[in-house]
Amino acid sequence: MSEIIGSPSKYGLDNHSLSNSGTVYWGLRAPALVELISQRGEGQLSEYGAVVVETGDHTGRAPNDKFIVREGASSDQIWWGEVNREFEPAAFELLHSQVLDYLNERELFVQDAAAGASERYRAPIRVVSENAWHALFARNLFLRLPEAEAASQIPKYTILHAPNFKADPEIHGTNSEVFIVVNFERGIILIGGSRYAGEIKKSIFTVMNYELPLQGVLSMHCSANQSESGEVALFFGLSGTGKTTLSSDPARDLIGDDEHGWSDEGVFNFEGGCYAKTIRLSPEYEPIIWNATEKFGTVLENVIMDHVSREIDFDDGKLTQNTRAAYPLEAVEKRVPSGMGGHPNNVFFLTADAFGVLPPISRLSPDQAMYYFLSGYTSKLAGTEKGLGDEPQATFSACFGEPFLPLHPSKYAELLGERIAKHKSAVWLVNTGWTGGTFGVGERINLPFTRAMVTSALDGSLAEVPTRTDEIFGIEVPVRCSGVPDEVLDPQATWADKEAYVTQAKSLAASFGENFAKYEEYVTGSVVAAGPAK
Ligand code: ATP
Ligand code: MN
């Protein structure tokens, strides 16, 4: 029998067919984990006591290596295809047993936690990892439970995390050495071949995106915050569009950073922490995130540090542009401790348009909201995924989170449409990307301008301003906004070459149309008509 250090659960590891002989570190908090990370050489302390770790080859998610086991009743629900690749039950058995054998030969770190601040929709989860730092990541990111609760819950989903176990595609039926295999029927997630911690977090997001819509609750890839009087705002957007940045607002209380549910009672965070991008982080523009990176126990992933002075250099992207800080919500002073809020008054769709043609803020009608939600447009630059070059690319990712959707996008869109109609939420499209020209010619819009636009939308002043209808996109663009020069609000005015603007905007409009064809059968004609001019 193995030695257990910490507070073991009544629900033992034998329930997972684990019978390892090494030490099991169970439910450890940050101080003990930090010491173990240091002793085991997994990472080093920064001058402020954050833990700096490196992930090696894989510094972003690996969407092509994610699979769903085709098994049981869940297989009828799943939206099979590029996003949800099938994995055969027999292949799962083999990989599962080899991952168990692998973990049985190692010291293990177990964290019992939960996803979903609303008790009614909470999923008990367990993470079993070979690394102390991944246990600290899981502890920072997921909901931390009182010790007695953690010790008595039975996990609905268990992640078996073996980042140093490399799969062999020939033997295991994977695409590469990396695998994220989700088995909904058995509540097991196998992760291997990659140390990138985002895989842990986003695999739980995937299961929440499966569980909740089946219970009539919308799950969303968005951040959320609220005003002191409790008015809630949501910020949807793909990676790098500003969910974390814009929800970290010194004037508002943070509900959550990245994943939320919207039930009949209101919105709730799935998580207990934040996973913020830190490349070129500045204390001036992003003070909340900056402060969190100086907290003891924060995990700094692939961030560059001087190993002698232990000073951090957030400007150095030599390992990746996708450097990250993972910290518990307690690192954010202004937050909503319950993780729950009311129905949103304002919903922002964030897009980082690298072509520089979408207005920096515009108001969407309910039909336009459905259209832009299903489209999920942004541009991808070198970022959180493997295999992206330096050139921008238009990407459409349904519901601003396609890689994490086990069900067809129309399921989520339907739930969103019902909710924004019922609660009369205002929907805004915010371009946090380029202005004055495409990527390379123009520049990224000033963060203080974007914040000023969001603030004016939130305080109601933007709704009072006259608008113009954008000729190509058909969306309503405010002509003034406090704290923002007028010409910034009109993208064409920021381009030196006005004709080039029209060409570029029409080309993007055409891409929208091509992409939307696959959703036309799922929506009303008025939603199809709400798209950009053809
Ligand atoms: P992920 O889903 O990967 O966590 P995210 O949507 O949370 O992504 P952020 O972490 O907020 O994205 O990243 C936005 C990045 O863009 C930050 O590094 C921020 O400093 C930078 N940025 C630059 N200009 C702007 C702007 N105008 N608005 C928002 N973010 C901006
Ligand atoms: Mn984020």
Side-chain angles (χ1 to χ4, degrees):
M1 267 305 282
S2 61
E3 185 193 4
I4 295 180
I5 293 177
S7 28
S9 165
K10 295 183 186 111
Y11 189 80
L13 291 183
D14 50 327
N15 290 290
H16 310 286
S17 307
L18 280 164
S19 54
N20 80 309
S21 47
T23 307
V24 177
Y25 298 94
W26 207 313
L28 295 188
R29 302 183 198 190
L33 287 171
V34 168
E35 281 182 8
L36 285 159
I37 291 165
S38 166
Q39 280 164 25
R40 293 162 51 96
E42 292 181 23
Q44 291 186 326
L45 288 180
S46 79
E47 61 181 321
Y48 301 108
V51 175
V52 179
V53 293
E54 289 182 13
T55 63
D57 288 348
H58 304 282
T59 57
R61 283 186 307 102
N64 299 338
D65 295 306
K66 186 178 165 193
F67 299 90
I68 311 286
V69 180
R70 193 191 262 280
E71 192 175 358
S74 65
S75 63
D76 299 333
Q77 306 282 348
I78 303 296
W79 173 43
W80 296 107
E82 287 277 288
V83 171
N84 298 293
R85 294 153 194 265
E86 325 182 5
F87 209 67
E88 291 302 325
F92 177 80
E93 292 312 324
L94 178 69
L95 186 59
H96 183 208
S97 74
Q98 293 194 359
V99 167
L100 289 173
D101 290 347
Y102 175 88
L103 291 174
N104 275 335
E105 286 169 16
R106 277 156 182 85
E107 295 194 323
L108 294 178
F109 297 85
V110 185
Q111 291 285 327
D112 288 302
S118 158
E119 269 180 55
R120 185 154 169 209
Y121 301 111
R122 184 169 294 172
I125 58 179
R126 171 172 289 176
V127 179
V128 180
S129 180
E130 64 174 305
N131 280 339
W133 86 257
H134 288 102
L136 180 58
F137 174 88
R139 187 163 187 95
N140 285 353
L141 258 290
F142 296 132
L143 286 177
R144 291 160 292 285
L145 299 169
E147 218 162 79
E149 213 176 302
S152 59
Q153 76 172 8
I154 297 176
K156 178 142 195 213
Y157 288 96
T158 297
I159 298 179
L160 298 176
H161 187 249
N164 300 322
F165 175 102
K166 292 185 173 158
D168 179 344
E170 298 274 301
I171 297 170
H172 299 109
T174 56
N175 257 341
S176 75
E177 64 185 24
V178 180
F179 56 91
I180 301 97
V181 182
V182 181
N183 188 325
F184 288 112
E185 288 305 307
R186 295 177 56 189
I188 300 170
I189 300 162
L190 306 177
I191 299 178
S194 169
R195 290 193 285 272
Y196 181 62
E199 302 287 14
I200 297 176
K201 160 194 154 69
K202 283 300 206 292
S203 68
I204 292 300
F205 185 43
T206 300
V207 306
M208 295 301 272
N209 279 327
Y210 173 73
E211 296 274 339
L212 293 186
L214 300 177
Q215 301 171 64
V217 174
L218 172 62
S219 53
M220 309 175 287
H221 189 212
C222 70
S223 59
N225 65 16
Q226 69 178 37
S227 66
E228 268 152 24
S229 57
E231 292 196 337
V232 171
L234 302 180
F235 302 82
F236 285 87
L238 289 156
S239 187
T241 57
K243 293 183 298 300
T244 302
T245 300
L246 296 173
S247 62
S248 299
D249 179 341
R252 296 170 67 87
D253 295 321
L254 184 66
I255 298 175
D257 165 58
D258 194 54
E259 311 171 3
H260 290 80
W262 188 350
S263 73
D264 291 342
E265 291 84 52
V267 302
F268 59 95
N269 191 3
F270 292 168
E271 302 179 287
C274 307
Y275 190 41
K277 283 178 176 291
T278 57
I279 195 73
R280 294 178 292 279
L281 186 67
S282 88
E284 186 192 351
Y285 289 137
E286 304 190 57
I288 297 170
I289 299 170
W290 179 275
N291 288 340
T293 67
E294 297 189 341
K295 294 262 154 82
F296 174 82
T298 289
V299 176
L300 298 177
E301 189 181 39
N302 295 319
V303 168
I304 302 303
M305 177 174 73
D306 183 290
H307 294 291
V308 178
S309 70
R310 303 304 174 98
E311 283 173 22
I312 298 290
D313 182 1
F314 288 115
D315 295 334
D316 194 337
K318 79 168 162 246
L319 292 177
T320 174
Q321 292 291 308
N322 188 31
T323 57
R324 294 271 176 171
Y327 49 88
L329 273 156
E330 286 79 352
V332 178
E333 208 174 310
K334 275 178 72 69
R335 66 178 183 279
V336 180
S338 68
M340 294 189 278
H343 298 290
N345 302 63
N346 287 284
V347 172
F348 296 91
F349 293 165
L350 309 176
T351 176
D353 172 28
F355 302 106
V357 295
L358 284 176
I361 192 160
S362 51
R363 177 86 186 254
L364 303 184
S365 70
D367 282 337
Q368 287 170 339
M370 293 299 278
Y371 186 95
Y372 282 89
F373 185 65
L374 274 168
S375 297
Y377 166 69
T378 196
S379 316
K380 259 188 206 158
L381 304 169
T384 50
E385 275 174 32
K386 296 220 86 171
L388 286 174
D390 289 332
E391 285 298 300
Q393 243 180 296
T395 37
F396 294 93
S397 178
C399 313
F400 299 103
E402 192 169 302
F404 321 114
L405 304 182
L407 310 176
H408 190 273
S410 60
K411 298 266 190 332
Y412 307 89
E414 223 168 85
L415 290 167
L416 181 77
E418 285 166 20
R419 279 162 178 70
I420 57 179
K422 180 161 181 203
H423 303 289
K424 304 196 168 49
S425 319
V427 182
W428 306 88
L429 181 66
V430 175
N431 176 9
T432 64
W434 272 252
T435 182
T438 56
F439 174 83
V441 178
E443 54 194 25
R444 191 143 185 203
I445 190 160
N446 226 342
L447 178 52
F449 289 166
T450 302
R451 286 202 197 276
M453 289 182 251
V454 167
T455 299
S456 294
L458 289 173
D459 69 18
S461 59
L462 210 57
E464 306 296 318
V465 167
T467 57
R468 64 169 181 94
T469 307
D470 186 281
E471 275 173 33
I472 292 163
F473 296 97
I475 49 191
E476 292 299 312
V477 187
V479 297
R480 284 193 303 276
C481 176
S482 149
V484 185
D486 289 353
E487 63 273 15
V488 170
L489 297 171
D490 176 4
Q492 191 172 11
T494 67
W495 281 51
D497 184 343
K498 312 289 177 208
E499 269 172 45
Y501 170 85
V502 174
T503 309
Q504 190 64 71
K506 284 189 173 160
S507 143
L508 181 61
S511 312
F512 266 96
E514 278 162 35
N515 171 69
F516 203 80
K518 58 181 176 281
Y519 301 122
E520 288 184 0
E521 62 176 293
Y522 295 98
V523 297
T524 61
S526 61
V527 171
V528 179
K534 287 206 174 134

